[in-house]
Amino acid sequence: FKGDIGFAVVETTDDDVIMDRIDEILPELVACKKEKKLQAIFLAIVNIVKLQSCLLLCGPTETSLANAAFGGEISKNGTVMDLGKRVSRKKDYIPVLTRVIKEGWTKPKNLPRGPSVADISSHLEVDPEDPY
């Protein structure tokens, strides 16, 4: 395997607020993946009250790698993996992904087309009056 992987974490006390917007978030993950020229990108949603998390999967490469690394139950039409009590990027996520890749995980050939390979174009509008 060669290439870069993006991994982001959102910590929240109410993961339903974020999960209710999954249809907005997934295309943004795809756009970020393309913009940064990543081989895969993940977003973990961590509920810091329940100490539970899930992983957003924006395409077949992410699904394959996440299955090899974590093997959690997948729901919401293949876009969300339950990570259970794994909540730490430094302890639970990155070391496992790194180990799986070093042990020889490769992107499977002939993966079905997913949203991460779709042509997604967007336009960013910036308010010139906004100081941030």
Side-chain angles (χ1 to χ4, degrees):
F1 175 82
K2 288 191 177 194
D4 294 324
I5 296 173
F7 201 103
V9 176
V10 174
E11 294 180 343
T12 181
T13 58
D14 185 2
D15 50 333
D16 288 337
V17 171
I18 296 169
M19 296 307 291
D20 287 345
R21 300 185 67 185
I22 192 170
D23 291 336
E24 298 170 57
I25 295 170
L26 287 172
E28 293 301 323
L29 283 174
V30 173
C32 184
K33 178 180 176 179
K34 286 183 151 197
E35 179 182 316
K36 303 284 185 187
K37 297 180 173 55
L38 300 171
Q39 296 301 307
I41 189 167
F42 297 100
L43 176 61
I45 311 300
V46 178
N47 185 311
I48 60 174
V49 175
K50 297 177 184 175
L51 293 178
Q52 293 183 336
S53 65
C54 64
L55 191 64
L56 300 189
L57 307 170
C58 68
T61 299
E62 287 79 6
T63 301
S64 173
L65 181 52
N67 271 324
F70 307 115
E73 182 179 330
I74 297 178
S75 62
K76 298 202 185 247
N77 294 322
T79 60
V80 178
M81 176 180 279
D82 180 10
L83 294 179
K85 298 287 184 184
R86 295 179 186 103
V87 296
S88 172
R89 179 178 48 89
K90 292 179 183 175
K91 293 179 183 178
D92 298 322
Y93 304 144
I94 303 304
V96 176
L97 286 170
T98 301
R99 179 181 47 78
V100 165
I101 291 169
K102 285 185 176 181
E103 288 176 353
W105 178 87
T106 57
K107 183 176 176 179
K109 298 195 183 324
N110 302 321
L111 283 175
R113 292 182 62 87
S116 64
V117 294
D119 182 27
I120 294 180
S121 58
S122 63
H123 174 73
L124 175 64
E125 293 186 23
V126 179
D127 181 355
E129 305 293 319
D130 186 353
Y132 304 104

